[in-house]
Structure formats: C-alpha cells, structure tokens
Amino acid sequence: MHSPEHVVGTALLVFGVFVVGYYAAINAGYLLLHVLALLELRDDVRESEWDPPFREFTSPFYPGIGIVLPAYNEEATIVESVQSMLSLNYPEIEVVVVNDGSTDATVERLVEHFDLEPVDADIPFEVPAEEIHGVYRSRIYEELLVVDKDNGGKSDALNAGLWLTEMPLFCAVDSDTVIDREALLSLVRPFLEAPTTAVASGGVIRVANNCRIEDGVVKDVSLPKTGLAGLQVMEYLRAFYSGRLGLNRLNGLILISGAFGLFQTETVREIGGYRHDTITEDFDIVVRLHRHLKETDREYTVDFVPEPVAWTEVPSTRRVLGRQRRRWYRGMVETVVTHRRMVGNPRYGRVGWFVMPFFVMAETVGPLIEGIGYVLLPLAWYFGFLNVEFFLAFFLLTTGFGIFLSWFGVFSEVWSFNRYDSPWQVLRLLWYGVLENFGYRQWKTIVAWQGLFEYLRGVDTWGAMERTGFSTRDD
C-alpha cells in the first residue's frame, strides 16, 4: 500500500509529464506557424515593394465599399473615427454609422460636426435588426449615412449597416478605430486578384494609445508609456505578424478582427448576417463563412493582408482589460462549442483537421492548463515534491518560448513595415516581450478561468469600454 505522499508525488509527476508534452506539442505548432508567417511576410514585403506602372486610385476596377461603424456611447472618439473613414483614399466608399441606441452624446456630436439631415425615403426591405427610427445623410459629405436605431448590440448594428449599404463589399470597423489613408487600397487586393473566390480579408490592428492623431489621421506613432497598453502592443504584433500570417499561408485564417475586416456583402447576407446570440461576432462570422462555403462546395479564399493598418484604443486599466478579455474568452468558447462538428473534421479542409483543433488546444484549453500548472508548482515545492526537471521544462516551454515568440514578432515588425522605427522603441518592444511573461501572462490565465466560469454560468454581458479619446497622450 502506497503512502499518501507517494500517491501525491506520483500524481504530480504524471501531471508534469502531461503538461510538458502538451506544451511541447503546442509550441511545435506555434513554431510551424511562425516559420510559415516569415515566408508569407517575405512574399508580402516583396509584393509591396513593387511599384505598379499605373495609378491605383484611378483604376476603374475597384469595387465599392460600404464602411459600417456600429456606435454605442462612443462620444469620445466617434468624430475622429468618422473623419478618418471620410479621408480614406479609395474611389468609391459609403460610410454607414449605426447609432445603436446610445445614451450619451454620440448622435449630438455627429449632428454637430457633419450637419445631418433626414433621408426622406422608406427602407425598401426588412432589415434583420432592432427598429430603425431614422436614416440621415450629411449635407457636407454625401457619402456619410447615419442610422439611428434601438439598442440591439454590436451584431444587430452591423446587420443594419450591412443591409442598408448598396456596395458589393462592406468593411466592418469599430467606432474607436482610425484607419490609415491607403489601407483600403491594400485590403481590397484579394478581391482584385481573385474576384470570383475572395469572400473576406483582414488587416493589421495597432495600438493607438499615445499616438498623435489629427483630423482622423495618425501623424505620429509612439509606444504607450503605461505598462498595460505597452504590453498589448506586443500582443498585437505577435498575433498579427505571426499567428494570422502563418494561418494565411495555410489558407486557414479563422479570425478577422472586428475592428478592421472586409467582406463580400452578398455572401454574408446569405448566411443571415451576424448572429445576435454571440459576443465575439468577428470570430463567429469567419468560422460560419468557412463552414457554409465548405458545406456548399464552393471555392473561396479568406485572406490576411499585413500592410493595411487600423489603429484602436486599447484598455489602459486592469479592470477594463480584464472585462474585455473575459468576454473574448467566453465568446471563443461559445464559438468553438457552436461549431464543434468542424473540429478535427476533414470535410472542412485544413480549417477542420488542423486549424480548429490547434486553436482549441492552444487558445482555449492551453491557458487553463497553464493556470493549473502555476497553482501546482508552489504546492509541489511546499510539500517537497517539486521535480527540478519538470520545473525547468515548464519554465522554458511557457516563459522561455513565450519570449522567443514575442521577439519573433518584433523581428517581423522591424524587418517588414516597421512603424516603430526608432532603436529606443524597438528596445522597449523587446523589453515588453520579456516583461509580459512575468505577472501579466499569469494574470491572463486567471482571466481565462474567470471567463470559463462566466460561460458556464451563462453570462452574456458585453461590458463597456471606457474611452479617453485619441487626442489624449499618456505622457
């Protein structure tokens, strides 16, 4: 009969071997994605350096784009965001701002700055959204349309804009987002190269905190000086320049940020638009597109284009960031559960047999297992069962490899489009890549567990973002 101490020690050893093996498999997948991302980035950089023998902006082949901005209590940033959309270099755009029952001065600021007047015409069809009270057009900018409706959530607002635009493509943009002036010309490229198969494309999201923005244009790029915002810069670099580029190389991109994505209007209408019962509509809509197009045996592409950039204000306090990340995790679990039949199913191509299973292992289950490891390590040390080999392996596979992946993202940024061009900023990015693994990463595992418990309890609240506005700096 084994003693309780022996049983506990054996259990910890078995769990340790499982965790090390699990993270070795995940990191092998991450390494593969990063190598593929480097190859994809190399090709994109070469393509971006090619100077076409014609002026892009005057080409008659660019399809019209409806830019849909859902807005709920966004008075701090709405004018700058709309001005940014109106100043984009693109032949034919329509900016559709959907006021989703705001209780602040969002509508008043729009009326004041853009001189709105009611559109004297009935809506010719039924829109799958809450009641629309009025549609207004700017006297200053004919391409600006404002929809005023009852509150129904972000998906509901997106559907209102999606059904009211007459453009063949629509760009879903968060109302706290500023887009680079040339971004649409790059983002639309997949639709020009493969007009019969392209259904969606996404660009890069960067952190706007501490950047100088005037008249909807980023004039000066600077790293945030606050810790949380700075750490998120590192996260965004890693996610876009490594993860999504690698998935794009595999033709398996399953997430386009809700802050900046371009879609074929009619195809999204085919699947009923955005679902109202999800809190991560950007993840869900792309997965549903993959599922629908595979099940109907249609050839299609979903692309990530690393050159076009949109800038967004990220949370600068732990309370607001925690609320955002818990929502992201709940939505991720909800989407995975909803589309569970795709996981490991070869019918859905690489998305089914590789991308979805890896996503579940790395992004859904991975943080939970890592969190358990952080709890058991000190317990094993306290009771004298800590295995030095396990501790070193766990440290290297989490913290050590995490630093490597972060620095890989910095390298990709410096080597390619390099918005943070001063050596001091690059050094700060490298420092953030180290710093995020000591405290911040562990906190995120706690947030993941909280998000899981909220999902199991049926919590479906969105949680409000608290904006300070683009003109505010941290210094």
Side-chain angles (χ1 to χ4, degrees), residues 259-271:
F260 189 38
L262 186 62
F263 299 87
Q264 191 179 72
T265 305
E266 192 55 41
T267 304
V268 176
R269 287 175 179 170
E270 274 181 34
I271 62 174

Side-chain angles (χ1 to χ4, degrees), residues 15 28 111 125 128 136 143 160 170 204 210 229 255 272 302 317 329 332 341 381 417 427 440 444 448:
F15 179 76
V111 171
F125 43 77
Y136 306 87
E143 64 271 31
F170 78 94
V204 174
N210 214 59
L255 178 59
V302 176
T317 67
Y329 191 87
M332 176 174 59
R341 64 177 294 180
W381 173 81
F417 303 108
L427 287 174
Y440 182 63
K444 287 196 299 181

Side-chain angles (χ1 to χ4, degrees), residues 112-410:
E112 174 188 351
H113 283 81
F114 300 108
D115 192 14
L116 303 180
E117 65 176 353
V119 174
D120 187 20
D122 294 331
I123 297 172
F125 43 77
E126 186 174 345
V127 178
E130 292 295 325
E131 182 179 357
I132 295 174
H133 297 292
V135 179
Y136 306 87
R137 192 169 291 279
S138 170
R139 292 187 179 93
I140 305 172
Y141 304 97
E142 186 180 355
E143 64 271 31
L144 174 60
L145 198 71
V146 174
V147 180
D148 187 26
K149 60 180 285 295
D150 285 340
N151 180 261
K154 184 178 179 182
S155 296
D156 194 83
L158 284 168
N159 282 341
L162 165 61
W163 256 263
L164 287 177
T165 185
E166 297 180 354
M167 299 297 181
L169 304 179
F170 78 94
C171 185
V173 182
D174 283 349
S175 56
D176 61 334
T177 299
V178 169
I179 299 177
D180 280 352
R181 281 192 166 179
E182 308 295 326
L184 285 183
L185 292 170
S186 298
L187 192 62
V188 78
R189 192 173 65 212
F191 294 90
L192 301 178
E193 296 173 347
T196 61
T197 57
V199 297
S201 65
V204 174
I205 307 297
R206 291 182 181 269
V207 174
N209 302 48
N210 214 59
C211 293
R212 183 169 59 88
I213 298 175
E214 297 177 0
D215 298 324
V217 178
V218 177
K219 298 291 188 180
D220 179 50
V221 176
S222 181
L223 284 174
K225 290 184 170 58
T226 58
L228 276 180
L231 293 175
Q232 289 172 81
V233 172
M234 189 69 258
E235 285 185 301
Y236 279 55
L237 283 178
R238 185 172 59 247
F240 286 95
Y241 277 113
S242 299
R244 297 189 191 184
L245 267 174
L247 291 174
N248 198 56
R249 191 77 174 187
L250 291 172
N251 296 319
L253 185 66
I254 60 173
L255 178 59
I256 291 175
S257 173
F260 189 38
L262 186 62
F263 299 87
Q264 191 179 72
T265 305
E266 192 55 41
T267 304
V268 176
R269 287 175 179 170
E270 274 181 34
I271 62 174
Y274 290 86
R275 280 176 48 206
H276 292 70
D277 57 346
T278 180
I279 53 175
T280 47
E281 79 298 325
D282 50 358
F283 184 22
D284 175 81
I285 196 72
V286 179
V287 174
R288 284 170 56 218
L289 283 172
H290 279 291
R291 184 171 181 173
H292 170 71
L293 294 168
K294 283 293 185 182
E295 289 177 350
T296 54
D297 294 321
R298 287 163 58 178
E299 185 180 351
Y300 71 96
T301 60
V302 176
D303 296 280
F304 173 72
V305 187
E307 186 176 1
V309 173
W311 302 82
T312 189
E313 181 185 357
V314 300
S316 57
T317 67
R318 190 174 63 177
R319 178 176 59 86
V320 178
L321 179 61
R323 183 190 303 151
Q324 180 197 65
R325 296 306 170 87
R326 290 196 303 272
R327 176 178 64 82
W328 284 5
Y329 191 87
R330 294 198 319 264
M332 176 174 59
V333 174
E334 185 270 332
T335 301
V336 167
V337 171
T338 299
H339 302 286
R340 58 190 177 275
R341 64 177 294 180
M342 296 179 65
V343 180
N345 192 336
R347 178 183 181 184
Y348 298 97
R350 292 175 182 172
V351 170
W353 64 260
F354 175 73
V355 177
M356 289 289 283
F358 179 74
F359 186 86
V360 171
M361 285 182 60
E363 302 295 331
T364 308
V365 180
L368 304 178
I369 293 178
E370 185 174 337
I372 294 174
Y374 291 135
V375 172
L376 291 184
L377 274 175
L379 289 176
W381 173 81
Y382 181 79
F383 289 107
F385 297 126
L386 181 61
N387 183 288
V388 175
E389 289 80 6
F390 162 68
F391 172 77
L392 290 175
F394 182 77
F395 179 82
L396 290 174
L397 287 171
T398 55
T399 303
F401 201 78
I403 294 173
F404 166 76
L405 295 181
S406 297
W407 285 6
F408 196 105
V410 176

Side-chain angles (χ1 to χ4, degrees), residues 24-44:
I26 288 177
N27 287 341
Y30 275 134
L31 185 60
L32 171 63
L33 286 180
H34 280 62
V35 171
L36 292 174
L38 202 59
L39 296 173
E40 186 78 356
L41 189 60
R42 178 200 61 190
D43 294 345
D44 281 310

